[in-house]
Amino acid sequence: VTSFETAFSRVYDAIFPPRPSVQALLGDLADRAPAPRWLDVACGTGRHAIFLALRGMRVTAIDLDPLMIRQARRAAQRAGLSIDLRLGDMSRSETYRGLGRRIGGASCLGNSLVYAAAPGDLERTIGHIAACLVDGGCFLVQVVNFDHFADRPSYAFPPIPVPSAGLIFRRRYERLEGGVLAFHLELDSDAGGGETLKATHLIRPLTLADLESALEAAGMTVRERWGDFDRRPWSAEAPATVVLAAR
Ligand SMILES: C[S@@+](CC[C@H](N)C(=O)[O-])C[C@H]1O[C@@H](n2cnc3c(N)ncnc32)[C@H](O)[C@@H]1O
């Protein structure tokens, strides 16, 4: 029996193909970084880590899911790159062991910071990342624009077909007590009749204000707020919340 996590780590890059606008932004930030080291938090299959390593950065990338780290390790090997890939929880200090204060740029993309949902986890995670940055080092965060979902009891995203795997990916938010959301994920066979793999995660719907106050509490200054990776200005209706902060 395949678990949702196994299937998801295999099809993640087919569901969310790497986007040129993300790479353009990361590339610009890497080129301007005050130190040639990058930290990618919740790296998933390693796409950003690999892109940045190819660009000449020394990259550390962390993820909680061993299957994602395995995908990232394989991809780095295929590309002939040496990347410091770490299995660990972004909210725990052990995960950042030995990094010192030498990182020139950090990222947490793909709506991942929302998994710091338990009380204090967001503040701890951002604090650990800030502590790794040299002065002037940047931190790029992207989450779904939760200001947009603020009043909805539930929201289903349009399904994403994954023809190469014969699957359909579905995601839905459900508002729970206490301000957290249940994030329901499903992979269905597109032919029907096959098994449906499911997972539910608790997430914290981070508004722009939540994110900015956590960044500022960790001693960072917010430099930019965009509504997407094409760097359009943020608004409550924009699809994403993309924030660039610096130490
Ligand atoms: C939607 S994926 C995004 C992956 C990647 N950042 C990207 O943009 O393609 C979310 C990732 O967050 C990771 N994650 C969730 N909770 C985490 C935690 N507490 N610490 C580190 N990684 C975590 C998951 O394992 C998953 O790989």
Side-chain angles (χ1 to χ4, degrees):
V1 190
T2 312
S3 69
F4 175 87
E5 286 71 22
T6 302
F8 192 55
S9 69
R10 287 190 188 136
V11 298
Y12 184 84
D13 288 328
I15 298 174
F16 302 109
R19 283 153 58 191
S21 57
V22 181
Q23 299 193 334
L25 178 53
L26 284 174
D28 286 352
L29 295 175
D31 292 350
R32 283 191 269 141
R37 292 175 191 263
W38 197 275
L39 172 65
D40 189 38
V41 175
C43 66
T45 57
R47 56 200 12 207
H48 311 307
I50 287 168
F51 172 77
L52 289 157
L54 287 169
R55 195 102 176 180
M57 299 299 274
R58 291 180 63 177
V59 181
T60 295
I62 66 179
D63 201 281
L64 184 62
D65 181 344
L67 297 163
M68 287 293 193
I69 288 289
R70 191 163 77 186
Q71 293 290 336
R73 198 155 274 143
R74 285 188 185 147
Q77 260 160 19
R78 277 197 300 272
L81 294 167
S82 155
I83 296 177
D84 173 21
L85 284 162
R86 299 182 176 198
L87 178 64
D89 184 328
M90 62 187 168
S91 68
R92 299 183 65 99
S93 59
E94 307 86 275
T95 307
Y96 303 85
R97 190 175 292 142
L99 291 179
R101 229 190 111 176
R102 288 177 296 170
I103 301 288
S107 46
C108 186
L109 307 182
N111 198 36
S112 302
L113 203 49
V114 301
Y115 290 106
D121 271 3
L122 176 71
E123 294 70 17
R124 273 189 288 276
T125 301
I126 292 181
H128 297 317
I129 296 167
C132 294
L133 292 175
V134 298
D135 285 334
C138 69
F139 178 37
L140 181 68
V141 182
Q142 173 253 329
V143 294
V144 163
N145 184 347
F146 288 99
D147 290 79
H148 191 61
F149 297 114
D151 303 322
R152 305 187 190 198
S154 68
Y155 178 81
F157 288 84
I160 302 178
V162 196
S164 59
L167 294 171
I168 299 176
F169 177 58
R170 299 179 209 278
R171 332 168 251 178
R172 176 168 64 84
Y173 291 132
E174 180 195 353
R175 189 163 285 275
L176 305 179
E177 297 287 304
V180 289
L181 303 186
F183 185 25
H184 302 288
L185 304 150
E186 273 185 34
L187 284 167
D188 276 344
S189 152
D190 68 359
E195 61 178 339
T196 297
L197 302 172
K198 296 184 185 190
T200 295
H201 300 295
L202 275 190
I203 63 165
R204 174 167 170 182
L206 290 176
T207 61
L208 180 64
D210 293 336
L211 198 52
E212 291 197 5
S213 58
L215 290 163
E216 275 157 17
M220 289 197 254
T221 306
V222 173
R223 293 269 159 84
E224 304 280 357
R225 311 160 174 92
W226 294 296
D228 58 27
F229 280 110
D230 292 316
R231 299 177 232 186
R232 281 189 267 262
W234 186 88
S235 75
E237 286 72 45
T241 294
V242 183
V243 174
L244 178 65
R247 175 165 174 156

